[in-house]
Structure formats: C-alpha cells, structure tokens
Amino acid sequence: MNMAQIVVVGLVGTILTLMIKEQRPEISLLIAVTTGVLIFISLCGRLEMLLSLLEETAEKAGVSQGYFVIVLKVTGIAYLAQFGMQLCNDAGQTSIAGKIELAGKIMMMVVSAPVLLSLLDVVMGLI
C-alpha cells in the first residue's frame, strides 16, 4: 500500500468514526482501532524491506550482529509502545496509555542493558 492509499484508509476510518460516534461510540472505537491496525499491517512489508536493507548495511560496515539486533529491538519496542499509546489515547484511556509508555521505556532499558554494560567495561578499562 502506498502513502496515498494509507491516507485514504485513514480518512475513511476517521469519517466513519466521526459519523458513528454519537449513536454508537463502541462501534466508533472499533472502527478507529481497526483502521490503525490496517495501516500498521500495510506497513509490515515495507518494514521487512527496510530491515533487510539495514541489516545488509550494518554487515558491510562491520557492526556487530548483537548490537544491530539490540538497536532493532529497541526501535521496535518504541514503535509498538507509541502505537499502543495512541490507540489508548484515542479510546480516552490516558492512564493506560501512560502505563504503556512507562513499560516501553523500561523494556527499552532492559533490552539495551548489554550495550550499556559493554560501554561501562570499556570505560573501566581506560581507568
């Protein structure tokens, strides 16, 4: 799906959501969530293409596979947390959105801990 198609899906979802919101707010929320998921799914093919390109570039640059995987995991966690937060905010659940944000930040720290520990080892070796 190209960008114009994604915008059309988003606009149609928005218009449907606004039209139905007053009579059936639960259906309106379902349409909004479905629209977001459709857009996300439509991007998965592009993400796969981007990941293979990044992996190839990292390999050519001599970046350790372990570090590359960690960077990808952190990036994936950030995107997923943002997506989940936006869905919760759309549903009016700002409290849950805040918890997703906190969980995303903690998970990013957990996943990136090996990089931080390696960095500390290097710094301690210089002292």
Side-chain angles (χ1 to χ4, degrees), residues 1 17 22 28 31 35 54-55 57 59 64 67 84 88-90 94-95 101 106 111 114 116 123 126:
M1 191 180 298
T17 300
E22 288 187 25
S28 174
I31 291 170
T35 302
L54 290 173
E55 190 173 55
T57 304
E59 205 172 284
S64 167
Y67 292 131
C88 290
N89 281 329
D90 289 346
T94 56
S95 176
E101 179 181 23
I106 290 171
V111 169
L116 268 86
V123 170
L126 296 175

Side-chain angles (χ1 to χ4, degrees), residues 67-92:
Y67 292 131
F68 180 71
V69 169
I70 289 171
V71 169
L72 287 181
K73 284 181 181 180
V74 169
T75 304
I77 291 167
Y79 282 135
L80 286 174
Q82 181 70 27
F83 183 71
M85 286 172 41
Q86 289 172 349
L87 287 177
C88 290
N89 281 329
D90 289 346

Side-chain angles (χ1 to χ4, degrees), residues 38 42-43 56 66 68 72 83 100 114 119-121 123:
L38 283 173
S42 73
L43 295 173
E56 182 181 312
F68 180 71
L72 287 181
F83 183 71
I100 291 174
L119 181 62
L120 284 174
D121 283 344
V123 170

Side-chain angles (χ1 to χ4, degrees), residues 8-120:
V8 168
V9 168
L11 289 174
V12 169
T14 300
I15 291 168
L16 288 173
T17 300
L18 292 174
M19 288 173 46
I20 296 174
K21 190 172 189 173
E22 288 187 25
Q23 292 89 17
R24 303 286 305 266
E26 68 280 358
I27 300 294
S28 174
L29 176 62
L30 185 60
I31 291 170
V33 169
T34 302
T35 302
V37 169
L38 283 173
I39 291 170
F40 183 75
I41 288 171
S42 73
L43 295 173
C44 287
R46 303 284 178 144
L47 285 174
E48 188 176 332
M49 199 169 63
L50 175 64
L51 288 177
S52 66
L53 177 66
L54 290 173
E55 190 173 55
E56 182 181 312
T57 304
E59 205 172 284
K60 286 179 184 176
V63 175
S64 167
Q65 183 72 18
Y67 292 131
F68 180 71
V69 169
I70 289 171
V71 169
L72 287 181
K73 284 181 181 180
V74 169
T75 304
I77 291 167
Y79 282 135
L80 286 174
Q82 181 70 27
F83 183 71
M85 286 172 41
Q86 289 172 349
L87 287 177
C88 290
N89 281 329
D90 289 346
Q93 299 298 319
T94 56
S95 176
I96 296 172
K99 304 312 181 282
I100 291 174
E101 179 181 23
L102 176 64
K105 289 176 181 178
I106 290 171
M107 291 301 296
M108 285 187 280
M109 286 299 297
V110 168
V111 169
S112 65
V115 175
L116 268 86
L117 293 174
S118 285
L119 181 62
L120 284 174

